[in-house]
Amino acid sequence: VLHTNSFIEDPTRIYRAVRFATRLHFTIEPQTERYIRHAIASGVFDRIQTEMEKTPALQTRLRRELKYLLEAAYWQPALRLLSDLGGLRCLHPDLEMTPVLHLQLRRADRWLNRFDRAQSLEHWLVLLEVLIAQLSPPDRHSVAKNLQLPADTIDRLTQLEAIESHLQANLPAADRPSQIVQQLQAFSIATLVLIAVRSSRPIRRSIWQFLTVWSTVKPPIDGNDLRKLGYRPGQQFKTMLSQLQAATLDGDVRDRASAEAFLTARFPL
């Protein structure tokens, strides 16, 4: 760097140092590393937190550096180096790379590669959500807002505590596939991944089965078939198809014949 206070003047240079060092398999020069640690010890990141709302340019640069780092193939060693230097404090003074957080990030990466192969989600952003989710619920919202993250990300992080509490209380009691699907079908893949990587093994297993199997199950009869069977279109169709879906998930309906028998018993013409 040009002078002692380079990292104090622009803390995002710490992220660039980590990114280039990791990408090029270099080691940060000892004097430069001392400058980095001096900048962090000086409280520069605490100042960032108080000035973030007044400096949109800093928000933009910091978010951009996080994106560059988290979408790179070398994001894991880069995060470890950044944490070792204390650089995660740019997000929050309490944020650091713990073994639990590292495991959650690796899980999130695997799940995203498994369930979003088309890259319809921004994977770097979900990884960032996993990082921010380590903070207390009030801090999650403020950090995401300071970074000017998308509205759905801010909403997800804000509602995460309530969603996790609800699923922890209700999902273990669901002993049929249809009951699990009813609990999970309202959530996006990004939300389910965020919840799964932070949850206990039983909840994680239920979410995995939902995404791999149960979310793709369709009843053997649809709305057009209902009309052909003589049922009149209306609000009842939604109830009929919903019950057919549940019965198919639970194995009570296996083919068209058993579906028609189910309808005859539940919804006689």
Side-chain angles (χ1 to χ4, degrees):
V1 291
L2 294 178
H3 55 83
T4 306
N5 292 328
S6 286
F7 294 113
I8 293 178
E9 290 181 354
D10 184 0
T12 60
R13 290 171 178 156
I14 298 173
Y15 279 67
R16 286 197 290 278
V18 167
R19 179 159 54 88
F20 289 135
T22 311
R23 188 182 78 187
L24 301 173
H25 304 288
F26 284 0
T27 299
I28 296 177
E29 186 264 337
Q31 183 61 63
T32 304
E33 181 176 335
R34 284 195 288 271
Y35 290 157
I36 291 174
R37 295 189 182 279
H38 169 70
I40 294 170
S42 73
V44 63
F45 287 148
D46 298 329
R47 176 173 58 81
I48 286 177
Q49 299 303 316
T50 59
E51 296 181 0
M52 191 75 84
E53 294 184 3
K54 304 175 184 177
T55 53
L58 178 59
Q59 297 170 342
T60 301
R61 291 200 306 274
L62 185 54
R63 184 180 64 249
R64 183 172 60 240
E65 287 299 327
L66 284 164
K67 179 177 184 293
Y68 288 156
L69 190 149
L70 290 172
E71 69 182 3
Y74 50 83
W75 66 267
Q76 292 190 53
L79 272 185
R80 285 196 295 270
L81 177 56
L82 185 65
S83 179
D84 177 66
L85 293 169
L88 288 179
R89 292 188 61 192
C90 72
L91 299 178
H92 191 276
D94 298 333
L95 190 59
E96 61 179 340
M97 183 61 66
T98 64
V100 171
L101 175 55
H102 184 242
L103 178 60
Q104 291 176 0
L105 288 164
R106 290 177 58 194
R107 280 178 184 158
D109 186 53
R110 290 199 302 269
W111 281 55
L112 288 168
N113 290 329
R114 172 67 171 79
F115 297 114
D116 187 41
R117 293 173 180 170
Q119 299 281 318
S120 60
L121 300 171
E122 293 188 89
H123 291 192
W124 75 270
L125 188 55
V126 179
L127 293 176
L128 181 56
E129 290 179 26
V130 175
L131 277 171
I132 297 174
Q134 300 303 303
L135 303 173
S136 65
D139 290 336
R140 296 169 188 169
H141 179 272
S142 60
V143 169
K145 185 178 179 181
N146 284 343
L147 287 172
Q148 298 179 331
L149 298 183
D152 59 339
T153 289
I154 296 175
D155 290 343
R156 185 160 35 250
L157 288 168
T158 302
Q159 299 168 11
L160 181 60
E161 182 184 32
I163 295 173
E164 287 179 329
S165 296
H166 174 79
L167 291 180
Q168 288 167 5
N170 295 282
L171 203 55
D175 55 2
R176 295 172 70 86
S178 61
Q179 296 172 333
I180 296 174
V181 169
Q182 186 178 24
Q183 295 281 343
L184 300 177
Q185 62 187 356
F187 302 118
S188 67
I189 291 179
T191 300
L192 290 174
V193 168
L194 182 59
I195 293 170
V197 301
R198 292 169 45 83
S199 297
S200 62
R201 185 184 296 271
I203 291 179
R204 193 162 62 250
R205 186 185 301 116
S206 293
I207 295 175
W208 179 272
Q209 290 178 304
F210 169 76
L211 290 173
T212 54
V213 181
W214 297 327
S215 63
T216 63
V217 171
K218 302 295 181 185
I221 286 179
D222 59 19
N224 290 328
D225 296 320
L226 290 179
R227 284 193 290 270
K228 292 177 183 178
L229 290 172
Y231 292 98
R232 298 180 63 179
Q235 185 64 31
Q236 187 184 24
F237 268 31
K238 182 177 180 181
T239 302
M240 296 169 71
L241 292 173
S242 176
Q243 292 191 21
L244 265 177
Q245 171 79 357
T248 304
L249 285 165
D250 296 337
D252 299 328
V253 167
R254 296 170 300 282
D255 51 28
R256 185 180 180 90
S258 57
E260 291 184 6
F262 178 88
L263 290 171
T264 300
R266 297 289 185 92
F267 304 96
L269 287 168

